[in-house]
Structures are given as structure tokens and as C-alpha cells.
Amino acid sequence: SGGFLEVNVNLVSVLADTAEYSHEIDVERAEVARDQARQIIDTTADSDEATNARSALSRALARLRAAERGDR
């Protein structure tokens, strides 16, 4: 996903293609996605598949971080 961030003195504007509230994140699903992506990265010889798995891993880790921060 892409987007833009603009920071002014007392205002931050975020325009994003996608967004999720931390309380809506399915932590169990994100953990499964993380584990699957790591397994693919560790076992595949296909560079395209590894690239896709690294992207999936990044998304899963971002979701897990957001969910953890939302619990505070």
C-alpha cells in the first residue's frame, strides 16, 4: 500500500490506500501469516516467491506491532 504524509506545525495529515484499527486486527491470523512467510523465505529458491513472502512478512509484522500498541 502507498500513501502520503504531511506534517505541519500542529497538524499531521495521512492519506493512505489502506488502514486498520488496532482493535480490528486478527492477531492469530497475523501470526499465521508471519510464520508462513518466514517458512517460504527459508525454503524457496524462487526469487519472486521470496519477494512476495518478504512483503507478506512485513505486513504481518506491522499488524502485530499495531495490535500490540493498541493493547496498551
Side-chain angles (χ1 to χ4, degrees), residues 27-51:
V27 173
E28 189 172 315
R29 182 176 175 207
E31 289 171 341
V32 168
R34 176 200 59 202
D35 296 344
Q36 289 175 341
R38 285 181 173 162
Q39 182 178 8
I40 292 169
I41 291 166
D42 291 343
T43 60
T44 190
D46 184 322
S47 64
D48 289 337
E49 189 174 5
T51 297

Side-chain angles (χ1 to χ4, degrees), residues 8-41:
N8 291 314
V9 176
N10 61 350
L11 177 69
V12 176
S13 298
V14 179
L15 299 174
D17 293 334
T18 61
E20 295 178 84
Y21 288 107
S22 61
H23 66 272
E24 293 178 344
I25 294 171
D26 184 337
V27 173
E28 189 172 315
R29 182 176 175 207
E31 289 171 341
V32 168
R34 176 200 59 202
D35 296 344
Q36 289 175 341
R38 285 181 173 162
Q39 182 178 8
I40 292 169
I41 291 166

